[in-house]
Amino acid sequence: MTPHDSSSLEQFLQDASEHLQYLREHAALPVETQSSGDDDLGRLYDAAFQLTDSASRWGFSLFSEIAGRLAHVFQYARKAQLSPDTYGPLTEFLADAISVLEFNLLQISSDGKETVDDIAAFKHRYAFAFRDAASSQSIEAEGESSQPI
């Protein structure tokens, strides 16, 4: 954790809680219907991106990584036409990601540490969502460029 005063940490915790509540309440509907348009998906993307950015600034890299995946999903949903057979798995991924972030936030609030085991279990369960990071690193190590999934 980077050195900030406790009131700044409290502000981060409060803002993150509000963003997570918004995501919890609104995440599934626009993805399932895609009739809400860019505005709703844009607000969901913004909430997830703000979580990513603020968690990163505080040094909560695992929280930031999961929130970044949420932002990626909303950004993708804005640009692509999702097929109906993806709604269930995608909604499940979103709900699980939000749950792991909520639990992680409670842990951060309690002792300032992330829930490493829970996030590792989430990443293992949804390994497909994290493959591009690992493959990008290995390809870049070989001197080639890569394209995320």
Side-chain angles (χ1 to χ4, degrees), residues 8-101:
S8 294
L9 178 59
E10 288 300 319
Q11 187 63 50
F12 162 73
L13 295 170
Q14 181 180 343
D15 291 347
S17 178
E18 290 171 6
H19 289 308
L20 286 169
Q21 180 179 350
Y22 180 81
L23 290 170
R24 168 78 57 207
E25 292 172 0
H26 301 283
L29 184 61
V31 171
E32 288 180 7
T33 64
Q34 284 194 303
S35 63
S36 303
D38 270 355
D39 288 345
D40 289 338
L41 288 169
R43 285 190 287 274
L44 290 165
Y45 169 80
D46 289 344
F49 182 80
Q50 289 174 18
L51 284 171
T52 303
D53 185 51
S54 61
S56 178
R57 281 187 277 122
W58 271 93
F60 300 121
S61 60
L62 299 173
F63 189 102
S64 180
E65 181 181 17
I66 303 301
R69 293 301 164 172
L70 286 174
H72 179 79
V73 167
F74 296 126
Q75 183 180 36
Y76 181 79
R78 290 173 75 181
K79 297 177 180 179
Q81 184 63 34
L82 301 176
S83 65
D85 62 333
T86 63
Y87 299 160
L90 190 55
T91 300
E92 182 179 331
F93 172 79
L94 294 172
D96 287 353
I98 293 166
S99 291
V100 80
L101 289 174

Side-chain angles (χ1 to χ4, degrees), residues 109-126:
S109 176
S110 172
D111 64 11
K113 297 178 183 171
E114 297 193 80
T115 56
V116 175
D117 292 340
D118 290 334
I119 291 178
F122 173 81
K123 289 172 70 173
H124 179 72
R125 179 173 183 192
Y126 295 104

Side-chain angles (χ1 to χ4, degrees), residues 126-145:
Y126 295 104
F128 65 87
F130 299 93
R131 270 191 290 230
D132 65 311
S135 63
S136 294
Q137 290 171 355
S138 68
I139 290 172
E140 288 171 3
E142 297 170 6
E144 300 176 24
S145 65

